[in-house]
Amino acid sequence: MEPNFTEIAAKWQKKWTDQEVYKVSHKSDKPKYYVLDMFPYPSGAGLHVGHPLGYIASDIVSRYKRLKGFNVLHPMGFDAFGLPAEQYAIQTGRHPADTTRENIARYKEQMNNIGFCYDWSREVITSDPSYHKWTQWVFLKLFGSWFNLESNKAEDISSLENKFRAEGSASVKGACSEHSPFTAEQWQGMSEKEQRDILMKYRLAYQDYATVNWCEALGTVLANDEVKDGLSERGGHPVEKRQMRQWFLRITAYAERLLGDLDTLDWTDSMKEMQRNWIGKSEGASLRFDLTPSPSPQERGEGSSTGVGNSDLTPGPSPQERGEGFVAGFSPQERGEGSVAGFSPQERGDTFGFIEDSNAEYHLTSPNLFKVLIPRAKMMRSNMTPAEKLLWEELRSSKTDFKFRRQHIISEFIVDFVCLSKMLVVEVDGSIHDQTAEYDEGRTEELNKLGFKVIRFQNSEVESNLKGVIERIVESCNSRPTSIISKDNLGIVKDSEEEYSISLLLPEGRAGVGATQPNEYIEVFTTRPDTIFGVSFLTLAPEHELVARITTPEQKSEVEAYVQVAKNRSERERMSEVKRISGVFTGAYAIHPFSGEKIPVWVGDYVLAGYGTGAVMAVPCGDQRDWDFAKHFGLPIPEINEGVDISEAADPTKEAKMINSDFLNGLTGYEAIGKAIEAIEATGFGKGKVNFRLRDAGFSRQRYWGEPFPIVYKDGVAYPLEESELPLELPVMEDFRPTGKPESPLAKASDWVNVDGALRETDTMPGYAGSSWYFLRYMDARNEESFVGKEAEGYWQDVDLYIGGTEHAVGHLLYARFWQKFLFDKGLVSKPEPFRKLINQGMILGRSNFVYRVAGSNSYISKDMLASRPNLSGFTDLR
Amino acid sequence: MSKSKFNVVNPDDIIAHFGADTLRMYEMFLGPLEQSKPWNTNGIEGVYRFLKKLWNLFLDDQGNLKVQEAKPTESELRTLHKTIKKVAEDIERFSFNTSVSTFMICVNELSEQKCRNREILRNLLIILSPYAPHIAEELWSALGEDGFVVNAKFPDWNDDFIKESSISYPVAFNGKTRFNITVSADMPKEEVESLALSHEEAEKWLNGGSPKKVIVVPGRMVNIVI
């Protein structure tokens, strides 16, 4: 009797289901083992023979581990939101919820036919409101969190608000889109909108402007993979890049941890390498190239080159408008009166900054003043009055909790004592000061303008009541916010992405007094600071924000035309078409930080806006693209390596000895890197820096079939929904075709959008939102109180074995690791990594890919050819 | 691709024709999990035949149970235990295609041994159940076992059973193999050497002389240098 394996299979599948053989619970004394498949997207086509390969393997492991005495979690679900379902729905006129449901039913039937030991009671479907409720909940957690670089973890946004309220922004080290300095007083004086705008720059789920692919003809925003060669894949219509406000996830805050923790995982080396490349850590230096001032129309052509001046290229917003209220690089001219000490503007020099003296103390002044004043300061230090000596004994070496410096240069003054972190000046007046009360008044006023508080004591007070004087000083310190200016915090000042020139905090009400625009400068990141003397031009990406601002009127039309063309080329085209060299001169010049030479600033589309700073220092002798560009446009190619031939191509060697490189001469490139970084830091033109290729993850889609954002706007300010308002379900819409405007189809559902005077966010979340945490939901899939119960999560913890295709090597796996780390920081999960062991199944290839060997010969023939020649028979030798 | 030749890409058709267990074992049999490989149904019949052969160890053509209660033989135990060992080790290192071949070898050996032994066959079902759970359940219940085989306990292997009791040594003269000797597995080197030299055929190849050197590679071979 022939056994009927098909009937046997059906019989036992039914028994397993009826008796819930594969149902598991976290309430178990057995050791746990969690085997997970990457859940499928339920397409209309059903399972293909390639799909089950990984599922069968994971099923074998699950069953084996059960037999070995483990409590095995082996669930399955469906990644059901996404673009194909929506497109299919638009084509067929059916709702994606209906087609998705049908497809899932088909997938489940097929899976059950293969006899997988899934615990279906834990099934998750990402489009199901009972699931996406918690996706929205995690989003709210991200929205309500910031990344504290000091603790290296996510914290509640309220801790940031508290810091701002108590201390202003100076002491905050957080991952942010843009750092703006303000005092506690300024924070307290801000409107709610202003405060929330600043908080938005720190949130882990935040909004910013970003480029989208807008197709006028289709009336919709397209995903990157729907665009090919600047045209829509569907219909071949032109696609334009447009700036739109989008949601992002601040995954870059976790770059270092995502990289470091790869070492703890049992993944293949190639998989880890793909993630490492994607994160793309490189060490080098970020470097500032100041721009030469743009000459006035009368002066133009006279070759004005005043060095690092307060170049005022295009007036930007005033500090008040920017809500910043700080002074950067203020010039004495603009600070106006109060120049009591009688220094001429020339003597004072143009820019202020921290200057380090031989005692490693940082003086806030200009280089010229420093030169003049430092001998005086030294003299005064060795000739302190008895009262000054008494006080210094108490103040020095941090006997109080505050670090004081003596005879310190601030601007054009030498103050007796100063606590930089509290911006408190302590002056001890003897008889000399009695006669110069007027001078002292002017001096106090000047220091106040800079943000310092001045307290004065008489010599006699110090001598008779030292204790009382100290108490008053400490009290004054305590009553002041901690500013960015302290030796400990100097790193921050230098670290600050935007400001290399030193910023001084001003007390409230003083904002903007004597302020001027910061110098325009171009920031570059280079992994080869050793080649600094090989720089002969700078190249900006066409999208670089400075392009429009620095282009001279003569070059304007040419630059604009170029930028327009470049905008519509894809990054891939720009990177791959190395032969096609294009660029345009902006007319602007930058200044080499060491040689002081003028360097032309070009725009070229071989520089991508998204990588580094979107600007490069071009070193044609060492970089082939720079070399090609220089050759093409006849720019100089300075030689900086001894005995290296660069007549035919660039040579990026680090072995050769440096020449024409000033203080780097004679060193090899390897040796010169560290020295160059040192010099760059010493001159204040930049600093050693780690750069990541990883970008923050775009989290907005202008689509219908995705998770709605639990966000409403009141007066343009984003507010989160309450947890109790979740899930926020999609509105039922008859027509969710694109609106014809660059906005989401949800904008058409006006009843849904308008809520009590507020407007809902109409973008939806991307496909990877639901898949970034589904492995956690399986642990406790029916929990209505929490995204996963503490007890269940504590038992199952993490995935012991994860099987899926390599196509998710960077996207899904990186996002999921990021979400897990975030939830770990919030104390919501117990492991910092979600997938301990990862295996990628290979693909099962269709037969048509193969050639056939003609029977009885050693010649080969393709499948199509074979089919067209009926008298031949062919073989594949593959078995 | 032609459905009539079962050259299909839809798992449903294979399941309908050969059953789910055939599909499961066949997909694993295609090659190492992590490698990409062509879909080729040429070997599917082989896997199907293997499962039928397994079935025939338990049941005769009339569907009657052939299994008997008896003490397993040494060779049956060896076949079972080396299979348990290999399959367990293969799954632990995610090598599934090799397990399928191991099962095939095991079923062939048990068939040759005309194995009817309940203990042997019962354990075989347990270790096979991750791969072919439906057939394993059906035969488990045919054996009259309680509950589901998928809830059983994976058997441990015993190295003592796996050890071969005797080893065949090829005996070479100046590198050319001339004859074989079969000795017990734990025979010391010296004894193997003297046994080889005293073999009746050795006389012929030594040709009256005495060997310069005798090399015995334990468990592998004997080489006599003359």
Side-chain angles (χ1 to χ4, degrees), chain A residues 1 3 6 9 11-13 16 47 49 53 59-60 63-64 66-67 106 110 113-115 837 839-845 847 850 878, chain B residues 1 7 9 11-12 15-16 20 24 27-28 33-34 36-40 55 61 92 94 126 130-131 133-134 137-138 150-152 154:
Chain A
M1 189 181 73
T6 308
K11 166 182 163 190
W12 288 98
Q13 283 157 12
W16 291 329
L47 284 182
V49 284
L53 187 68
D59 199 65
I60 289 169
R63 290 172 177 278
Y64 168 76
R66 281 173 65 102
L67 297 172
R106 166 103 181 98
Q110 285 188 297
N113 284 345
I114 304 174
K837 165 99 190 159
I839 290 186
N840 301 114
Q841 86 266 19
M843 291 207 290
I844 289 194
L845 307 167
R847 212 70 186 267
F850 293 92
L878 298 156
Chain B
M1 295 194 190
N7 199 2
V9 290
D12 301 351
I15 290 172
R24 292 170 64 103
E27 289 225 6
M28 291 298 100
L33 176 65
E34 293 174 78
S36 288
K37 50 231 162 205
W39 178 246
N40 177 337
W55 184 269
D61 290 347
E92 296 279 2
F94 311 106
I126 299 172
Y131 286 83
H134 310 93
E137 288 288 12
E138 183 70 18
V150 298
N151 288 335
F154 199 88

Coordinates of all heavy atoms in Angstrom, one line a residue, chain A residues 1 3 6 9 11-13 16 47 49 53 59-60 63-64 66-67 106 110 113-115 837 839-845 847 850 878, chain B residues 1 7 9 11-12 15-16 20 24 27-28 33-34 36-40 55 61 92 94 126 130-131 133-134 137-138 150-152 154:
Chain A
M1 N 0.8 -1.2 0.0 CA 0.0 0.0 0.0 C 0.9 1.2 0.0 O 1.7 1.4 0.9 CB -0.9 0.0 1.3 CG -1.9 1.1 1.2 SD -2.9 1.0 2.8 CE -1.8 1.7 4.0
P3 N 1.9 4.8 0.8 CA 1.5 5.8 1.8 C 1.2 7.1 1.1 O 1.8 7.4 0.1 CB 2.7 6.0 2.7 CG 3.9 5.6 1.8 CD 3.3 4.5 0.9
T6 N 0.7 13.3 1.4 CA 0.0 14.6 1.4 C -1.2 14.5 2.4 O -1.4 15.4 3.2 CB -0.6 14.8 0.0 OG1 0.5 14.7 -0.9 CG2 -1.2 16.2 -0.1
A9 N 0.2 14.5 6.0 CA 0.6 15.8 6.4 C -0.6 16.6 6.9 O -0.6 17.2 8.0 CB 1.3 16.6 5.3
K11 N -3.4 15.5 8.0 CA -4.0 14.9 9.2 C -3.2 15.4 10.5 O -3.8 15.9 11.5 CB -3.8 13.4 9.1 CG -4.0 12.6 10.4 CD -3.9 11.2 10.2 CE -3.6 10.4 11.5 NZ -3.2 9.0 11.2
W12 N -1.9 15.4 10.4 CA -1.1 15.8 11.6 C -1.1 17.4 11.8 O -1.1 17.8 12.9 CB 0.3 15.3 11.5 CG 0.2 13.8 11.8 CD1 0.2 12.8 10.8 CD2 0.0 13.2 13.0 NE1 0.0 11.6 11.4 CE2 -0.1 11.8 12.8 CE3 -0.1 13.6 14.4 CZ2 -0.3 10.8 13.8 CZ3 -0.3 12.7 15.4 CH2 -0.4 11.3 15.1
Q13 N -1.2 18.1 10.7 CA -1.3 19.6 10.8 C -2.5 19.9 11.6 O -2.5 20.8 12.5 CB -1.3 20.2 9.5 CG 0.1 20.3 8.8 CD 0.1 20.4 7.3 OE1 -0.9 20.7 6.7 NE2 1.2 20.2 6.7
W16 N -2.0 19.0 15.3 CA -1.2 19.9 16.0 C -1.9 21.2 16.4 O -1.9 21.7 17.5 CB 0.0 20.3 15.2 CG 1.0 19.2 14.9 CD1 1.3 18.2 15.8 CD2 1.8 19.0 13.8 NE1 2.3 17.4 15.2 CE2 2.6 17.9 14.0 CE3 2.0 19.7 12.6 CZ2 3.6 17.4 13.1 CZ3 3.0 19.3 11.7 CH2 3.7 18.1 11.9
L47 N 3.6 32.3 -1.8 CA 5.0 31.8 -1.6 C 5.5 31.2 -2.8 O 4.9 30.5 -3.5 CB 4.9 30.8 -0.5 CG 4.8 31.2 1.0 CD1 4.8 29.9 1.9 CD2 5.8 32.1 1.4
V49 N 9.1 28.9 -4.2 CA 9.9 27.9 -3.6 C 11.1 28.5 -2.9 O 11.7 27.9 -2.0 CB 10.5 26.8 -4.6 CG1 9.4 25.9 -4.9 CG2 11.1 27.5 -5.8
L53 N 12.8 28.2 2.0 CA 14.2 27.7 2.4 C 14.6 28.1 3.8 O 14.9 27.2 4.6 CB 15.2 28.3 1.3 CG 16.6 27.7 1.4 CD1 16.6 26.2 1.0 CD2 17.5 28.5 0.5
D59 N 12.6 26.1 11.1 CA 11.7 25.2 11.7 C 12.4 23.9 12.2 O 12.1 23.4 13.2 CB 10.6 24.8 10.6 CG 9.4 24.2 11.2 OD1 8.7 24.9 11.9 OD2 9.1 23.0 11.0
I60 N 13.4 23.5 11.4 CA 14.2 22.3 11.9 C 14.9 22.6 13.2 O 14.9 21.8 14.1 CB 15.2 21.9 10.8 CG1 14.4 21.3 9.6 CG2 16.2 21.0 11.3 CD1 15.2 21.1 8.3
R63 N 12.3 22.8 16.1 CA 11.9 21.4 16.5 C 13.0 20.7 17.2 O 12.8 20.0 18.2 CB 11.4 20.6 15.3 CG 10.1 21.2 14.7 CD 9.8 20.5 13.4 NE 8.5 21.0 12.8 CZ 7.3 20.5 13.2 NH1 7.3 19.5 14.1 NH2 6.2 20.9 12.7
Y64 N 14.2 20.8 16.7 CA 15.4 20.2 17.4 C 15.5 20.7 18.8 O 15.7 19.9 19.7 CB 16.6 20.5 16.5 CG 17.9 20.1 17.2 CD1 18.3 18.7 17.3 CD2 18.7 21.1 17.7 CE1 19.5 18.4 17.9 CE2 19.9 20.8 18.3 CZ 20.3 19.4 18.4 OH 21.5 19.1 19.1
R66 N 13.3 22.1 20.7 CA 12.2 21.5 21.5 C 12.6 20.1 22.0 O 12.4 19.8 23.2 CB 10.9 21.4 20.7 CG 10.2 22.6 20.4 CD 9.0 22.3 19.5 NE 8.1 21.4 20.0 CZ 6.9 21.7 20.5 NH1 6.5 23.0 20.5 NH2 6.1 20.9 21.0
L67 N 13.0 19.3 21.1 CA 13.4 17.9 21.5 C 14.5 17.9 22.5 O 14.7 17.0 23.3 CB 13.8 17.1 20.3 CG 12.7 16.9 19.2 CD1 13.3 16.3 17.9 CD2 11.6 16.1 19.7
R106 N -3.7 33.6 2.4 CA -3.1 32.7 1.4 C -1.7 32.3 1.9 O -1.4 31.1 1.8 CB -3.0 33.4 0.1 CG -2.1 32.8 -1.0 CD -2.9 32.1 -2.0 NE -2.0 31.5 -3.0 CZ -1.7 30.2 -3.0 NH1 -2.1 29.4 -2.0 NH2 -0.8 29.7 -3.9
Q110 N -0.5 28.5 2.9 CA 0.7 27.8 2.3 C 1.7 27.4 3.4 O 2.3 26.4 3.3 CB 1.4 28.8 1.3 CG 0.6 29.0 0.0 CD 1.4 29.8 -1.0 OE1 1.7 31.0 -0.7 NE2 1.8 29.2 -2.1
N113 N 0.6 24.4 5.2 CA 0.8 23.2 4.4 C 2.2 22.6 4.5 O 2.4 21.4 4.2 CB 0.5 23.5 2.9 CG -1.0 23.6 2.7 OD1 -1.8 23.2 3.5 ND2 -1.4 24.2 1.5
I114 N 3.1 23.4 4.8 CA 4.5 22.9 4.9 C 4.8 22.4 6.3 O 5.7 21.7 6.6 CB 5.5 24.0 4.5 CG1 5.2 24.6 3.1 CG2 7.0 23.6 4.6 CD1 6.0 25.7 2.7
G115 N 3.9 22.7 7.2 CA 4.0 22.1 8.6 C 4.9 22.8 9.5 O 5.7 22.2 10.2
K837 N 22.4 35.6 17.0 CA 23.0 34.9 15.9 C 22.1 35.2 14.6 O 20.9 35.1 14.7 CB 23.0 33.4 16.2 CG 23.2 32.5 15.0 CD 24.6 32.0 15.0 CE 24.9 31.3 13.7 NZ 26.4 31.3 13.4
I839 N 21.7 34.2 10.4 CA 22.1 33.4 9.3 C 21.3 33.9 8.1 O 20.1 34.2 8.1 CB 21.8 31.9 9.5 CG1 22.7 31.4 10.6 CG2 22.0 31.2 8.2 CD1 22.6 29.9 10.8
N840 N 22.0 34.1 7.0 CA 21.4 34.5 5.7 C 21.3 33.3 4.8 O 22.3 32.8 4.4 CB 22.2 35.6 5.0 CG 22.5 36.8 5.9 OD1 23.6 37.1 6.4 ND2 21.4 37.5 6.2
Q841 N 20.0 33.0 4.5 CA 19.9 31.9 3.5 C 20.2 32.4 2.1 O 20.0 33.6 1.8 CB 18.5 31.3 3.6 CG 17.5 32.0 2.7 CD 16.7 33.0 3.5 OE1 17.1 33.4 4.6 NE2 15.5 33.4 3.0
G842 N 20.7 31.5 1.3 CA 21.0 31.9 -0.1 C 19.7 32.0 -0.9 O 18.6 31.6 -0.4
M843 N 19.9 32.4 -2.1 CA 18.7 32.4 -2.9 C 18.5 31.2 -3.7 O 19.5 30.5 -4.0 CB 18.8 33.6 -3.9 CG 18.8 34.9 -3.2 SD 18.2 36.2 -4.3 CE 19.5 36.3 -5.4
I844 N 17.2 30.9 -4.0 CA 17.0 29.8 -5.0 C 16.8 30.4 -6.3 O 15.9 31.3 -6.5 CB 15.8 28.9 -4.5 CG1 16.3 28.1 -3.3 CG2 15.4 28.0 -5.6 CD1 15.4 27.0 -2.9
L845 N 17.6 30.0 -7.3 CA 17.6 30.7 -8.6 C 16.7 29.9 -9.5 O 16.7 28.7 -9.5 CB 19.0 30.8 -9.1 CG 20.0 31.4 -8.1 CD1 21.4 31.1 -8.7 CD2 19.8 32.9 -8.0
R847 N 15.6 28.4 -13.1 CA 16.3 27.6 -14.1 C 16.8 28.5 -15.3 O 17.8 28.2 -15.9 CB 15.4 26.6 -14.6 CG 16.0 25.2 -15.0 CD 16.4 24.4 -14.2 NE 17.1 23.2 -14.8 CZ 16.4 22.0 -15.0 NH1 15.1 22.0 -14.9 NH2 17.1 21.0 -15.4
F850 N 20.4 29.6 -16.5 CA 21.5 28.7 -16.7 C 21.7 28.3 -18.2 O 20.8 28.4 -19.0 CB 21.3 27.4 -15.9 CG 21.4 27.7 -14.5 CD1 20.3 28.0 -13.7 CD2 22.6 27.7 -13.8 CE1 20.4 28.3 -12.4 CE2 22.7 28.0 -12.5 CZ 21.6 28.3 -11.8
L878 N 24.5 20.5 -13.2 CA 24.3 20.8 -11.8 C 23.3 19.8 -11.1 O 22.3 19.6 -11.7 CB 23.7 22.2 -11.6 CG 24.6 23.4 -12.1 CD1 23.8 24.6 -12.5 CD2 25.6 23.7 -11.1
Chain B
M1 N 8.6 27.2 -17.3 CA 8.8 25.9 -16.6 C 7.6 25.1 -16.7 O 6.4 25.6 -16.5 CB 9.1 26.2 -15.1 CG 10.4 27.0 -15.0 SD 11.0 26.9 -13.3 CE 12.3 28.1 -13.4
N7 N 8.6 20.8 -12.8 CA 9.7 21.7 -12.8 C 9.1 23.1 -12.4 O 9.0 24.0 -13.2 CB 10.3 21.8 -14.2 CG 11.7 22.4 -14.1 OD1 12.2 22.8 -13.0 ND2 12.3 22.6 -15.3
V9 N 7.8 26.3 -9.6 CA 8.4 27.2 -8.6 C 7.4 27.4 -7.5 O 7.6 28.2 -6.6 CB 8.8 28.5 -9.2 CG1 10.0 28.3 -10.1 CG2 7.7 29.2 -10.0
P11 N 5.5 26.0 -4.3 CA 5.6 24.9 -3.3 C 4.3 24.0 -3.2 O 4.4 22.9 -2.9 CB 6.0 25.5 -2.0 CG 5.6 27.0 -2.2 CD 5.7 27.3 -3.6
D12 N 3.2 24.7 -3.5 CA 1.9 24.0 -3.3 C 1.9 22.7 -4.2 O 1.3 21.7 -3.8 CB 0.8 24.9 -3.7 CG 0.7 26.1 -2.8 OD1 1.5 26.2 -1.8 OD2 0.0 27.0 -3.1
I15 N 3.9 19.9 -2.8 CA 3.3 19.4 -1.6 C 2.1 18.5 -2.1 O 2.0 17.3 -1.6 CB 2.7 20.5 -0.7 CG1 3.9 21.2 0.0 CG2 1.8 20.0 0.3 CD1 3.6 22.4 0.7
A16 N 1.4 18.9 -3.0 CA 0.2 18.1 -3.5 C 0.7 16.8 -4.1 O 0.0 15.8 -3.9 CB -0.6 18.9 -4.6
A20 N 4.4 17.4 2.1 CA 5.2 18.5 2.7 C 6.6 18.0 3.2 O 7.6 18.8 3.0 CB 4.4 19.1 3.9
R24 N 10.2 19.7 2.3 CA 11.1 20.2 3.4 C 12.5 19.5 3.2 O 13.5 20.2 3.3 CB 10.5 19.8 4.8 CG 9.2 20.5 5.2 CD 8.6 19.9 6.4 NE 9.5 20.0 7.6 CZ 9.3 20.9 8.6 NH1 8.2 21.7 8.5 NH2 10.1 21.0 9.6
E27 N 14.3 20.8 -0.1 CA 14.8 22.1 -0.1 C 16.1 22.2 0.7 O 17.1 22.9 0.4 CB 13.8 23.2 0.5 CG 12.7 23.4 -0.5 CD 12.3 24.9 -0.7 OE1 13.0 25.8 -0.1 OE2 11.3 25.2 -1.4
M28 N 16.2 21.4 1.8 CA 17.4 21.3 2.6 C 18.5 20.6 1.8 O 19.7 20.9 2.0 CB 17.1 20.6 3.9 CG 16.3 21.4 4.9 SD 17.0 23.0 5.4 CE 16.2 24.1 4.3
L33 N 22.7 26.0 3.4 CA 21.7 27.0 3.5 C 22.1 28.3 3.0 O 21.4 29.0 2.4 CB 21.3 27.0 5.0 CG 20.3 28.1 5.3 CD1 18.9 27.8 4.7 CD2 20.1 28.2 6.9
E34 N 23.3 28.7 3.3 CA 23.8 30.1 3.0 C 24.2 30.3 1.6 O 24.4 31.4 1.2 CB 24.9 30.5 4.0 CG 24.4 30.5 5.4 CD 25.5 30.8 6.4 OE1 25.9 31.9 6.6 OE2 25.9 29.8 7.1
S36 N 23.6 30.3 -2.5 CA 22.6 30.4 -3.5 C 22.7 29.2 -4.4 O 23.8 28.7 -4.7 CB 22.7 31.7 -4.4 OG 22.4 32.8 -3.6
K37 N 21.6 28.7 -4.9 CA 21.6 27.5 -5.7 C 20.4 27.4 -6.7 O 19.4 28.1 -6.4 CB 21.6 26.2 -4.8 CG 20.5 26.2 -3.8 CD 21.1 25.9 -2.4 CE 20.1 26.4 -1.3 NZ 20.8 26.7 0.0
P38 N 20.6 26.7 -7.7 CA 19.5 26.6 -8.7 C 18.4 25.8 -8.2 O 18.5 24.8 -7.4 CB 20.2 26.0 -9.9 CG 21.3 25.1 -9.3 CD 21.7 25.9 -8.1
W39 N 17.2 26.1 -8.6 CA 16.0 25.3 -8.3 C 16.0 24.2 -9.4 O 16.0 24.5 -10.6 CB 14.7 26.1 -8.3 CG 13.5 25.3 -8.1 CD1 12.5 25.0 -9.0 CD2 13.2 24.6 -6.9 NE1 11.6 24.2 -8.4 CE2 12.0 23.9 -7.1 CE3 13.8 24.4 -5.7 CZ2 11.4 23.1 -6.2 CZ3 13.2 23.6 -4.7 CH2 12.0 23.0 -5.0
N40 N 16.0 23.0 -9.0 CA 16.2 21.9 -9.9 C 15.4 20.7 -9.2 O 15.8 20.3 -8.2 CB 17.7 21.7 -10.0 CG 18.0 20.5 -10.8 OD1 17.2 19.6 -11.1 ND2 19.2 20.5 -11.3
W55 N 9.5 4.5 5.4 CA 8.2 4.0 5.7 C 8.2 2.4 5.7 O 7.6 1.8 6.6 CB 7.2 4.5 4.6 CG 5.7 4.1 4.8 CD1 5.1 3.0 4.3 CD2 4.8 4.9 5.5 NE1 3.8 3.0 4.7 CE2 3.6 4.2 5.4 CE3 4.8 6.1 6.2 CZ2 2.4 4.7 6.0 CZ3 3.6 6.6 6.8 CH2 2.4 5.8 6.7
D61 N 3.6 -4.0 3.0 CA 2.8 -3.5 1.9 C 1.3 -3.5 2.3 O 0.5 -2.7 1.7 CB 2.9 -4.5 0.7 CG 4.3 -4.3 0.1 OD1 5.0 -3.3 0.4 OD2 4.7 -5.2 -0.8
E92 N 23.4 21.8 15.0 CA 24.1 22.8 15.8 C 24.9 23.8 15.0 O 25.1 24.9 15.4 CB 24.9 22.2 16.9 CG 24.2 21.3 17.9 CD 23.5 22.1 19.0 OE1 23.6 23.4 19.0 OE2 22.9 21.5 19.9
F94 N 24.2 24.4 11.8 CA 23.3 24.8 10.7 C 23.6 24.3 9.4 O 23.5 24.9 8.3 CB 23.2 26.4 10.7 CG 23.0 27.0 12.0 CD1 24.0 27.6 12.7 CD2 21.8 26.9 12.6 CE1 23.8 28.1 14.0 CE2 21.5 27.4 13.9 CZ 22.6 28.0 14.6
I126 N 12.4 10.1 16.2 CA 12.6 11.4 17.0 C 13.6 12.3 16.3 O 13.3 13.5 16.1 CB 13.1 11.1 18.4 CG1 12.0 10.2 19.2 CG2 13.3 12.4 19.2 CD1 12.5 9.7 20.5
P130 N 12.4 16.7 13.2 CA 12.5 18.1 12.8 C 12.5 18.3 11.2 O 12.0 19.3 10.7 CB 13.9 18.5 13.3 CG 14.2 17.6 14.4 CD 13.5 16.3 14.0
Y131 N 12.9 17.2 10.5 CA 13.0 17.4 9.0 C 11.6 16.9 8.4 O 11.1 17.5 7.5 CB 14.1 16.5 8.5 CG 15.5 17.1 8.7 CD1 16.1 17.0 9.9 CD2 16.1 17.9 7.7 CE1 17.4 17.5 10.1 CE2 17.3 18.4 7.9 CZ 17.9 18.3 9.1 OH 19.2 18.9 9.3
P133 N 8.4 16.1 9.9 CA 7.5 15.9 11.2 C 6.2 15.1 10.9 O 5.8 14.4 11.8 CB 7.2 17.3 11.6 CG 7.4 18.2 10.3 CD 8.5 17.5 9.5
H134 N 5.7 15.2 9.7 CA 4.4 14.6 9.5 C 4.5 13.1 9.5 O 3.8 12.3 10.1 CB 3.7 15.1 8.2 CG 3.7 16.6 8.1 ND1 4.6 17.3 7.5 CD2 2.8 17.5 8.6 CE1 4.4 18.6 7.6 NE2 3.2 18.7 8.2
E137 N 5.3 11.7 12.8 CA 4.1 11.5 13.7 C 3.3 10.3 13.3 O 2.9 9.5 14.2 CB 3.2 12.8 13.6 CG 3.7 14.0 14.2 CD 3.8 14.1 15.7 OE1 3.6 13.0 16.4 OE2 4.0 15.1 16.3
E138 N 3.1 10.1 12.0 CA 2.3 9.0 11.6 C 2.9 7.6 12.0 O 2.2 6.8 12.5 CB 2.2 9.0 10.1 CG 1.3 8.0 9.4 CD -0.2 8.2 9.7 OE1 -0.6 9.3 10.1 OE2 -1.0 7.2 9.6
V150 N 6.9 15.2 18.3 CA 7.5 16.5 18.3 C 7.7 16.9 19.8 O 8.4 17.9 20.1 CB 6.7 17.6 17.6 CG1 6.6 17.2 16.1 CG2 5.3 17.8 18.2
N151 N 7.1 16.2 20.7 CA 7.3 16.5 22.1 C 8.2 15.5 22.8 O 8.4 15.5 24.0 CB 6.0 16.5 22.9 CG 5.1 17.8 22.5 OD1 5.7 18.8 22.1 ND2 3.8 17.7 22.7
A152 N 8.8 14.6 22.0 CA 9.7 13.6 22.6 C 11.0 14.2 23.1 O 11.2 15.4 23.0 CB 9.9 12.5 21.6
F154 N 15.1 14.3 22.5 CA 16.2 13.9 21.6 C 17.1 13.0 22.2 O 17.6 13.2 23.3 CB 16.9 15.2 21.1 CG 17.7 15.0 19.8 CD1 17.0 15.3 18.6 CD2 19.0 14.7 19.8 CE1 17.7 15.1 17.4 CE2 19.7 14.5 18.6 CZ 19.0 14.8 17.4

